Amino acid sequence: MRVVVVGGGFGGLAAAVRLAKLGHAVTVVERAPTVGGALSEVTEDGFSWDAGPTYTLLPAVVRDLFRKSGRPVERELELVPLDLVREHRFEDGSSVRVATGRAAQLAAFEELGAGLGRRWVDYVESYADDWDVLRRTYLENPWDPAAPSRLLDGREMLHKRLKKAFKDERLRLVAGHPFVAEGHELRNVPAWLGVTAYVEQRFGAWTVEGGMHRLGAALADRLATRGVTTVTGTEARDLVIREGRVTAVRTATGDLDADAVVCAIDPRGLPTLAPYVERTMPAIPPVVVHVGLSGEAPDLPHELVLHGDPMLVVRRSGDALTVHGRGRLSEDILRALARHRIDVRAQVAARVDRSPRDQVELWGSSPMGVRWQGRGTVRRRLGPRTPVAGVYAAGAHATPGAGIPFVGLSAALVAAEIGPA
Ligand SMILES: Cc1cc2nc3c(=O)[nH]c(=O)nc-3n(C[C@H](O)[C@H](O)[C@H](O)COP(=O)(O)OP(=O)(O)OC[C@H]3O[C@@H](n4cnc5c(N)ncnc54)[C@H](O)[C@@H]3O)c2cc1C
């Protein structure tokens, strides 16, 4: 089959290499001059940073992708586990350093306060059964949105679950932070999503030696190895439908004929798909500032979360820092950081600012995917199938959602739906 993949971010690249290995004639159409989307590198004055992801959960998803599309990942990239996943610092001056594994987390939270270690691990383990159900019915096998699901249709939202689970506000902040960081409000996030804490504790957080952008670069190389045609600098404008089935992708420079199309962008960007997702809204990226430092960089873990308003997340790789900001940012982000006694203002040798709007313009939509708006949201996303014959959906805006592991799973689901040539 001729398959056109719209969008060359991680979702589009992962779908393209899988489908090419299954024997299809694949074309990726990407509006930017290069592929990679948020999984790319920013460079300035001799410094470099990951533009978006700096680590991933569920490394098995990346391993499976490489194995099913050619050579194993170990031949091309070094996946390394983060010993210390992140440190949280709270407004009262206390902090907790979160590592992988039950024993390490029990000890770390117990240090925060007597009995808190047990509370934390009990909370995390309460998701063990949910993880099994989600894996079987939602993440690893095509999902039937028409079938009711006790878990996915649950009424409970995460903020309620956290209130019940923890009297100590700091534990609520730790458990809620991934969703706040991705642009959601906890009262609209379904409780089952807390399963990510279980996944992180059990399987760890992993990065790629040299930066996560190398994953994007390795996939871009694999496009060539697998004979995928890559059309960059070309925006897809819509789908061409004949007799109820897709026949082409309309681009700024002409039509690309297709027997099947994978939409790996926000479907609201393609007028044919837009009506099916009109009740969704994008989750907005954070304010992002990349800084390159002269002199000695502060001794920080891979990720430091500074709770408060604004909430700041500092990610460090050597002398390169990236600061994400959420909430009340009425002053320069480095000044806000200095209030936490991390003052790098005099050391800034390079700086790149990216507002949420800059990022959405750069990548054509938000890499954070669909904003959670309560319990119906899960059914409002497309993917792996769509209501249009021959059209599939992958990427952050599709099932099962944003973040490298889930976007990788979306591509695997689409490849399984389309099947071998
Ligand atoms: C600041 C930030 C930090 C993050 N950190 C992490 C992290 O640490 N770990 C993690 O797992 N996830 C993280 N994420 C989320 C992760 O990056 C995304 O969920 C994932 O990369 C999304 O991939 P995607 O392919 O769906 O979308 P994108 O990466 O957004 O790619 C979409 C691509 O489609 C192209 N495109 C758009 N419209 C069109 C069109 N009409 N025609 C042709 N091409 C088009 C764009 O140019 C882009 O290349 C982060 C995201 C951001 C923004």
Side-chain angles (χ1 to χ4, degrees):
M1 276 209 291
R2 293 162 306 170
V3 184
V4 175
V5 177
V6 178
F10 180 58
L13 294 176
V17 295
R18 278 180 178 274
L19 289 165
K21 177 74 176 157
L22 289 173
H24 299 287
V26 183
T27 301
V28 173
V29 55
E30 164 59 55
R31 74 203 267 276
T34 52
V35 294
L39 192 60
S40 55
E41 189 181 24
V42 179
T43 54
E44 179 90 1
D45 296 337
F47 289 90
S48 76
W49 305 264
D50 278 322
T54 59
Y55 69 92
T56 183
L57 303 181
L58 287 177
V61 173
V62 173
R63 291 205 183 95
D64 187 64
L65 168 63
F66 276 72
R67 220 176 18 245
K68 300 268 173 62
S69 63
R71 299 187 324 156
V73 69
E74 291 74 24
R75 302 257 194 97
E76 294 177 28
L77 299 170
E78 198 187 336
L79 274 179
V80 279
L82 293 170
D83 294 334
L84 181 68
V85 180
R86 74 180 64 79
E87 179 178 338
H88 292 265
R89 291 188 192 163
F90 306 100
E91 285 183 286
D92 66 1
S94 60
S95 63
V96 63
R97 289 161 74 85
V98 183
T100 301
R102 182 183 185 279
Q105 294 197 355
L106 181 68
F109 283 92
E110 199 56 33
E111 242 176 71
L112 194 62
L116 297 188
R118 165 64 56 190
R119 274 200 189 288
W120 176 258
V121 296
D122 283 353
Y123 164 76
V124 172
E125 276 158 15
S126 73
Y127 283 104
D129 291 345
D130 290 356
W131 168 243
D132 269 352
V133 174
L134 285 168
R135 225 164 41 76
R136 276 184 286 108
T137 60
Y138 183 59
L139 299 172
E140 292 177 0
N141 294 300
W143 175 58
D144 177 6
S149 157
R150 182 194 55 77
L151 191 60
L152 298 173
D153 294 325
R155 286 182 178 279
E156 193 185 8
M157 294 293 127
L158 193 58
H159 84 122
K160 277 252 171 71
R161 171 83 59 99
L162 297 182
K163 269 207 165 136
K164 261 191 258 158
F166 304 125
K167 279 208 199 77
D168 193 301
E169 197 208 355
R170 295 170 301 175
L171 269 58
R172 295 206 290 270
L173 289 170
V174 172
H177 125 271
F179 309 99
V180 177
E182 286 180 22
H184 307 287
E185 282 182 42
L186 296 181
R187 65 186 159 81
N188 292 326
V189 174
W192 57 264
L193 273 152
V195 76
T196 52
Y198 177 78
V199 168
E200 188 175 284
Q201 185 193 86
R202 184 146 169 223
F203 307 108
W206 296 67
T207 190
V208 169
E209 187 64 44
M212 282 292 285
H213 61 271
R214 293 205 172 167
L215 171 58
L219 288 173
D221 289 348
R222 192 158 284 198
L223 290 181
T225 329
R226 295 257 72 92
V228 173
T229 306
T230 310
V231 183
T232 53
T234 303
E235 186 174 65
R237 300 254 164 101
D238 201 359
L239 306 174
V240 179
I241 310 292
R242 295 232 162 80
E243 291 165 15
R245 214 191 145 78
V246 71
T247 58
V249 172
R250 179 143 296 155
T251 78
T253 52
D255 289 357
L256 294 166
D257 291 339
D259 305 303
V261 170
V262 180
C263 170
I265 63 170
D266 182 345
R268 295 175 316 142
L270 298 175
T272 300
L273 293 180
Y276 301 108
V277 286
E278 63 183 3
R279 288 167 71 208
T280 66
M281 282 167 61
I284 300 301
V287 170
V288 174
V289 177
H290 303 292
V291 284
L293 302 179
S294 61
E296 207 177 318
D299 182 19
L300 298 175
H302 169 78
E303 183 171 79
L304 171 66
V305 182
L306 299 161
H307 291 280
D309 191 4
M311 180 178 92
L312 302 179
V313 177
V314 188
R315 293 175 170 187
R316 180 189 166 195
S317 172
D319 54 5
L321 298 188
T322 295
V323 189
H324 298 174
R326 289 264 179 211
R328 228 170 352 129
L329 268 170
S330 48
E331 59 188 350
D332 185 69
I333 204 163
L334 294 188
R335 195 184 159 118
L337 188 61
R339 291 186 192 285
H340 293 270
R341 280 183 252 110
I342 302 170
D343 193 351
V344 296
R345 288 174 292 179
Q347 288 176 264
V348 175
R351 174 169 173 156
V352 178
D353 284 72
R354 280 185 171 171
S355 69
R357 186 180 173 159
D358 292 339
Q359 293 168 72
V360 170
E361 278 174 5
L362 188 62
W363 296 312
S365 57
S366 171
M368 300 303 190
V370 173
R371 184 175 157 91
W372 285 103
Q373 293 171 285
R375 83 178 172 122
T377 317
V378 71
R379 293 184 185 283
R380 289 187 205 131
R381 278 192 303 226
L382 302 179
R385 287 171 237 110
T386 76
V388 183
V391 181
Y392 302 83
H397 291 262
T399 297
I404 293 301
F406 303 108
V407 170
L409 286 164
S410 76
L413 290 171
V414 164
E417 277 295 308
I418 295 178

